[in-house]
Amino acid sequence: DDPAADPFAVAANAAVQIAEKTGVQRHDIALTLGSGWAKAADLIGETTATIPATEIDGFSKPALEGHTGSLRSILLPNGKRALVIGARTHYYEGHGVRRVVHSVRTAAATGAKIMILTNGAGGIRETWNPGTPVLISDHINLTATSPLEGATFVDLTDLYSRRLRDLARTIDASLDDGVYCQFRGPNYETPAEVQMAKAMGGHIVGMSTALEAIAARQSGMEILGMSLITNLAAGIQKTPLSHEEVIDAGKAAEPVISALLAKIVAEL
Ligand code: HPA
């Protein structure tokens, strides 16, 4: 990427391309579906267009299995339009933080006022069995970076909308919430790092979402964050973590949590 390019101009351009390719001038809601959440795209409404992300400015090739690498325009039953971003760039891929938040800025440029950020993550609370969905109430950004550049002193109070968390609880009153800690990855955390996160007030550990949420707030969007607990975090769980286990837990939980998310989206 051209370091001199204005990231908001690239996002605005991407939004124009999305409008051209989908025939939809404006999207109301955007969703980034992390591991375990992808089926929600099939449940929230009728897909009217699917675009390979590589056809849109600023998107890179998918790095991971389970990340489909496409953008979908979906007509919701209530007539609203959702943009599903199945092409997340993780900070650990090493393409820089602008690339990480490009999808969020693009979503904002398409008109989306609500950004739903989902992920698969490790749980620090022992009562969270793999497969548990958790509402993100706040985050601790442990990446030592930010998507904001220059003198942009953005307030992050209530970053993850209380209104949207309350709304989610009208669908499932048993939903817990927790503080999400974004580590850089791609290695999983050490048990000592997990204890640090716990001591800092964290409940969930993962490698995405916080940087995206900051960019979404900068763009004025209301944010709903949800984690699927795919495993207990390192050291909380007594056995070593494996990527395969994480993927399998995501697949097993997918129908249930995707249906939950679809019900939440129907209320937006
Ligand atoms: N840590 C970080 N990221 C993750 C984990 C974890 O335990 N599980 C799934 N993604």
Side-chain angles (χ1 to χ4, degrees):
D1 289 325
D2 176 4
D6 171 4
F8 294 95
V10 182
N13 212 32
V16 169
Q17 293 171 326
I18 289 168
E20 280 169 5
K21 286 177 191 281
T22 61
V24 176
Q25 290 312 308
R26 165 181 189 91
H27 287 84
D28 303 295
I29 298 166
L31 301 94
T32 296
L33 300 177
S35 31
W37 298 92
K39 274 208 171 59
D42 298 327
L43 303 176
I44 59 177
E46 178 202 345
T47 298
T48 58
T50 303
I51 318 164
T54 47
E55 290 182 9
I56 304 295
D57 274 7
F59 285 86
S60 50
K61 289 205 171 60
L64 270 183
E65 181 202 353
H67 294 243
T68 55
S70 65
L71 304 178
R72 281 165 72 168
S73 181
I74 297 178
L75 176 61
L76 304 182
N78 62 11
K80 291 189 177 165
R81 294 280 180 171
L83 182 69
V84 169
I85 301 156
R88 177 178 256 155
T89 300
H90 289 87
Y91 185 52
Y92 60 68
E93 291 171 52
H95 302 304
V97 72
R98 282 187 179 185
R99 196 81 87 81
V100 172
V101 300
H102 174 63
S103 58
V104 167
R105 287 179 173 154
T106 298
T110 68
K113 297 279 181 264
I114 293 179
M115 185 74 229
I116 300 181
L117 297 168
T118 63
N119 58 59
I124 293 178
R125 279 212 190 121
E126 289 178 58
T127 53
W128 287 340
N129 294 320
T132 305
V134 178
L135 294 164
I136 299 175
S137 58
D138 202 346
H139 79 223
I140 299 175
N141 172 11
L142 296 171
T143 65
T145 191
S146 165
L148 310 190
E149 300 168 55
T152 39
F153 305 107
V154 171
D155 173 68
L156 300 181
T157 310
D158 289 327
L159 181 60
Y160 300 88
S161 164
R162 179 172 295 279
R163 182 184 82 86
L164 295 180
R165 277 183 281 142
D166 288 347
L167 188 147
R169 288 212 173 88
T170 65
I171 307 297
D172 181 351
S174 74
L175 279 168
D176 276 338
D177 60 32
V179 173
Y180 181 92
C181 297
Q182 180 175 358
F183 284 82
R184 181 189 182 280
N187 52 279
Y188 293 115
E189 301 72 31
T190 64
E193 287 164 348
V194 170
Q195 288 305 316
M196 175 192 76
K198 183 178 179 182
M200 286 173 152
H203 308 105
I204 309 162
V205 291
M207 307 176 194
S208 68
T209 303
L211 296 172
E212 294 156 329
I214 294 168
R217 164 59 62 91
Q218 180 189 27
S219 291
M221 290 191 280
E222 193 178 9
I223 301 157
L224 175 68
M226 291 186 82
S227 290
L228 166 68
I229 303 302
T230 56
N231 56 279
L232 288 180
I236 309 279
Q237 152 175 325
K238 296 304 165 211
T239 51
L241 271 53
S242 81
H243 179 59
E244 199 186 7
E245 166 202 342
V246 166
I247 296 293
D248 288 350
K251 283 196 182 124
E254 192 148 13
V256 175
I257 61 164
S258 295
L260 168 66
L261 182 55
K263 283 190 197 151
I264 294 169
V265 169
E267 299 298 321
L268 297 175

